[in-house]
Coordinates of all heavy atoms in Angstrom, one line a residue:
E134 N -13.0 0.0 25.0 CA -12.0 -1.0 25.3 C -11.3 -1.7 24.2 O -10.1 -1.9 24.1 CB -12.7 -2.0 26.3 CG -11.9 -3.3 26.6 CD -12.7 -4.4 27.2 OE1 -13.8 -4.0 27.7 OE2 -12.2 -5.5 27.2
I135 N -12.2 -2.1 23.2 CA -11.7 -2.8 22.0 C -10.9 -1.9 21.2 O -9.8 -2.3 20.6 CB -12.9 -3.4 21.2 CG1 -13.7 -4.4 22.0 CG2 -12.4 -4.1 20.0 CD1 -12.9 -5.5 22.5
R136 N -11.3 -0.7 21.0 CA -10.5 0.3 20.2 C -9.1 0.5 20.8 O -8.1 0.7 20.1 CB -11.3 1.6 20.1 CG -10.7 2.6 19.1 CD -11.7 3.8 18.8 NE -12.6 3.4 17.9 CZ -13.8 3.9 17.8 NH1 -14.2 4.9 18.6 NH2 -14.7 3.5 16.9
A137 N -9.1 0.7 22.2 CA -7.8 0.9 22.8 C -6.9 -0.4 22.5 O -5.7 -0.2 22.3 CB -8.0 1.1 24.3
E138 N -7.4 -1.6 22.6 CA -6.6 -2.8 22.3 C -6.2 -2.8 20.9 O -5.0 -3.2 20.6 CB -7.5 -4.0 22.6 CG -6.8 -5.4 22.3 CD -5.6 -5.6 23.1 OE1 -5.4 -5.0 24.2 OE2 -4.8 -6.4 22.6
A139 N -7.0 -2.4 20.0 CA -6.6 -2.3 18.6 C -5.5 -1.4 18.4 O -4.5 -1.6 17.6 CB -7.8 -1.9 17.7
R140 N -5.5 -0.3 19.0 CA -4.4 0.8 19.0 C -3.1 0.2 19.5 O -2.0 0.4 18.9 CB -4.8 2.0 19.6 CG -5.8 2.8 18.8 CD -6.5 4.0 19.7 NE -7.4 4.7 18.8 CZ -8.4 5.5 19.3 NH1 -8.5 5.6 20.7 NH2 -9.2 6.2 18.6
R141 N -3.2 -0.5 20.6 CA -1.9 -1.1 21.1 C -1.4 -2.1 20.2 O -0.1 -2.3 20.0 CB -2.2 -1.8 22.5 CG -2.5 -0.7 23.6 CD -2.5 -1.4 25.0 NE -3.7 -2.3 25.2 CZ -4.8 -1.8 25.7 NH1 -4.9 -0.5 26.2 NH2 -5.9 -2.6 25.8
R142 N -2.3 -3.0 19.6 CA -1.8 -3.9 18.6 C -1.1 -3.3 17.3 O -0.1 -3.8 16.8 CB -3.0 -4.9 18.2 CG -3.4 -5.8 19.3 CD -4.4 -6.8 18.6 NE -4.9 -7.7 19.6 CZ -5.8 -8.7 19.3 NH1 -6.2 -9.0 18.1 NH2 -6.3 -9.4 20.3
A143 N -1.7 -2.1 16.9 CA -1.1 -1.5 15.8 C 0.2 -1.0 16.1 O 1.2 -1.0 15.2 CB -2.1 -0.3 15.4
I144 N 0.5 -0.4 17.3 CA 1.8 0.0 17.7 C 2.8 -1.2 17.7 O 3.9 -1.1 17.2 CB 1.7 0.7 19.1 CG1 1.0 2.0 19.1 CG2 3.1 0.8 19.7 CD1 1.8 3.1 18.5
N145 N 2.3 -2.3 18.3 CA 3.2 -3.5 18.4 C 3.5 -4.0 17.0 O 4.7 -4.4 16.8 CB 2.5 -4.6 19.2 CG 2.4 -4.2 20.7 OD1 3.2 -3.4 21.2 ND2 1.5 -4.8 21.4
A146 N 2.6 -4.0 16.1 CA 2.7 -4.4 14.7 C 3.8 -3.5 14.0 O 4.6 -4.0 13.3 CB 1.5 -4.4 13.9
A147 N 3.6 -2.2 14.2 CA 4.6 -1.3 13.6 C 6.0 -1.5 14.2 O 7.0 -1.5 13.3 CB 4.2 0.2 13.9
R148 N 6.2 -1.7 15.5 CA 7.5 -1.9 16.0 C 8.1 -3.3 15.6 O 9.3 -3.3 15.2 CB 7.4 -1.9 17.6 CG 8.7 -2.3 18.3 CD 8.6 -2.2 19.8 NE 8.5 -0.9 20.2 CZ 9.6 -0.1 20.4 NH1 10.8 -0.5 20.1 NH2 9.4 1.2 20.8
E149 N 7.2 -4.3 15.5 CA 7.7 -5.6 14.9 C 8.3 -5.5 13.5 O 9.3 -6.0 13.1 CB 6.6 -6.6 15.0 CG 7.1 -8.0 14.6 CD 6.0 -9.0 14.7 OE1 4.9 -8.7 15.3 OE2 6.0 -10.1 14.1
K150 N 7.5 -4.7 12.7 CA 7.9 -4.5 11.3 C 9.3 -3.7 11.2 O 10.2 -4.1 10.5 CB 6.9 -3.7 10.6 CG 7.1 -3.5 9.1 CD 6.0 -2.6 8.4 CE 4.7 -3.2 8.5 NZ 3.6 -2.3 7.7
A151 N 9.3 -2.6 12.0 CA 10.6 -1.8 12.1 C 11.8 -2.7 12.5 O 12.9 -2.6 12.0 CB 10.4 -0.7 13.0
E152 N 11.6 -3.6 13.6 CA 12.7 -4.4 14.1 C 13.1 -5.4 13.0 O 14.3 -5.7 12.8 CB 12.2 -5.2 15.3 CG 12.1 -4.3 16.5 CD 11.5 -5.0 17.7 OE1 10.9 -6.1 17.5 OE2 11.6 -4.5 18.9
N153 N 12.1 -5.9 12.1 CA 12.4 -6.8 11.1 C 13.3 -6.2 10.0 O 14.3 -6.7 9.5 CB 11.1 -7.3 10.5 CG 11.4 -8.4 9.5 OD1 12.3 -9.2 9.7 ND2 10.4 -8.6 8.6
Y154 N 12.9 -4.8 9.7 CA 13.7 -4.2 8.7 C 15.2 -3.9 9.2 O 16.1 -4.1 8.4 CB 13.0 -2.8 8.4 CG 11.9 -2.9 7.5 CD1 10.7 -2.0 7.7 CD2 11.8 -3.8 6.4 CE1 9.6 -2.1 6.9 CE2 10.7 -3.8 5.6 CZ 9.6 -3.0 5.9 OH 8.5 -3.1 5.0
C155 N 15.2 -3.6 10.5 CA 16.6 -3.2 11.0 C 17.5 -4.5 11.1 O 18.6 -4.4 10.9 CB 16.4 -2.6 12.4 SG 15.8 -0.9 12.4
T156 N 16.8 -5.6 11.4 CA 17.6 -6.8 11.5 C 18.1 -7.2 10.1 O 19.3 -7.6 10.0 CB 16.7 -8.0 11.9 OG1 16.3 -7.7 13.3 CG2 17.4 -9.3 12.0
A157 N 17.3 -7.0 9.1 CA 17.7 -7.3 7.7 C 18.8 -6.3 7.3 O 19.8 -6.7 6.5 CB 16.6 -7.2 6.7

Side-chain angles (χ1 to χ4, degrees):
E134 169 193 344
I135 298 300
R136 185 167 284 156
E138 175 62 23
R140 286 168 176 158
R141 286 191 290 269
R142 288 191 187 182
I144 290 284
N145 291 336
R148 177 176 287 278
E149 183 178 344
K150 186 186 293 186
E152 289 173 344
N153 190 27
Y154 284 142
C155 286
T156 299

